[in-house]
Amino acid sequence: MAPASLGAFVADQRVLGIDPGMTRCGLGCVDVDSRRRVRLVEVGVARTPPNQSPELRLKSIADAIDDWIARHSPHVIAIERVFAQENMRSVIAVAQVMGVAMLAGARHDLEVALHTPSEVKAAISGNGRADKAQVQTMVARVLGLDALPKPADAADALALAICHGWRGGGTGQDGITEMVSAGGQVRASARTPAQRRWAQAQANARRTGAVDPRRRRG
């Protein structure tokens, strides 16, 4: 897969999207510029064998996330928020991986945002109930790819990254756009200077309709 030419593209924000899963954890990194254009950096999946003990599987995923952070230096990590399913065992596994991803972001002093599946689908396709095929198609279109990103976990990770690049926010609640940390809303007085600048940039972006103008770190 190769992204189409974007001409003069100056990235203002780099987002690492993570679709948490124990067997397949989707990873997708994109750059977003001030015109809301998006460029693919890398997409992939961290896989772990089902017959391996859970703690070793979580370590493998944590190592993979650390590697992606080290290689790509994202400004923010966008993670899919776990939601209730009938299969409680699956929910627990996804929540464990979600925790690993959140911890990785905190250890690297990165902003961590949570987005619900419906929020991501609405951002990408305009339909909060879009199916996997629709999400893959729209992700490929947004990124100018000549093939659909596969597997679905990888496409979902890219969709998360694009959603955050376009919308910001990350409370994990639909319709709420205030930037929060993974642990909940952060009061302005508790933010670091860098976090205050980031929050102000988001507020300015929402007023102008542009994406968050955050410069890539050199």
Side-chain angles (χ1 to χ4, degrees), residues 156-174:
D156 287 346
L158 289 174
L160 279 155
I162 295 169
C163 171
H164 187 84
W166 283 352
R167 288 191 169 190
T171 63
Q173 299 179 47
D174 292 333

Side-chain angles (χ1 to χ4, degrees), residues 120-140:
V120 174
K121 292 175 182 178
I124 292 297
S125 69
N127 178 7
R129 296 184 177 181
D131 59 25
K132 294 286 187 182
Q134 289 174 305
V135 171
Q136 286 177 302
T137 298
M138 291 306 300
V139 166

Side-chain angles (χ1 to χ4, degrees), residues 167-169 177-179 191 195-213:
R167 288 191 169 190
T177 56
E178 177 66 19
M179 170 59 74
R191 288 177 172 144
Q195 288 175 327
R196 286 196 293 272
R197 290 194 296 273
W198 171 238
Q200 184 59 53
Q202 283 202 305
N204 294 339
R206 287 197 291 272
R207 284 194 292 270
T208 61
V211 296
D212 304 315

